[in-house]
Amino acid sequence: MPQLINDFKTQFPDIWAAYTQLKTACDQGGSLDRKTTELIKIGISAAMGHEGGLMAHISQARKAGAQEDEIYQAIMSATGLAGFPAVLKAFAAAKKS
């Protein structure tokens, strides 16, 4: 985990606990499996240009059984939302991972 996040957790433990509880509830509060949820997060990270989140969710998606073609499709799904430059940036980041 990046140092900035560790620093935030140390300085604001109650806020971090509330955030992680909300995140967990959102992730597990429906019928989507973990792989699908992580693939959605890849598309969102790509659309928002969040390379750190992208790398984390690619790793989690792989652990959940996602294949490379599924990861790339999740990235390509951001094209209509974020435009082609953001997709190319995410594609390059995914190739590095």
Side-chain angles (χ1 to χ4, degrees):
M1 194 170 288
Q3 186 60 45
L4 184 61
I5 293 175
N6 286 329
D7 292 346
F8 185 93
K9 286 170 52 176
T10 300
Q11 189 162 351
F12 305 105
D14 293 342
I15 294 171
W16 181 257
Y19 163 73
T20 57
Q21 185 178 9
L22 174 62
K23 184 176 110 22
T24 300
C26 291
D27 287 352
Q28 298 174 356
S31 59
L32 296 178
D33 62 20
R34 183 169 168 243
K35 180 177 89 169
T36 303
T37 301
E38 292 300 332
L39 290 168
I40 290 168
K41 290 178 182 183
I42 289 170
I44 292 168
S45 295
M48 296 182 72
H50 293 166
E51 188 172 341
L54 180 67
M55 304 310 283
H57 294 299
I58 287 172
S59 175
Q60 292 301 313
R62 286 182 177 138
K63 288 178 186 172
Q67 302 299 311
E68 294 302 306
D69 62 323
E70 293 172 307
I71 291 168
Y72 289 135
Q73 183 177 0
I75 291 169
M76 296 309 150
S77 70
T79 302
L81 299 172
F84 198 60
V87 170
L88 285 178
K89 182 178 178 182
F91 179 68
K95 287 183 63 84
K96 287 191 280 186
S97 69

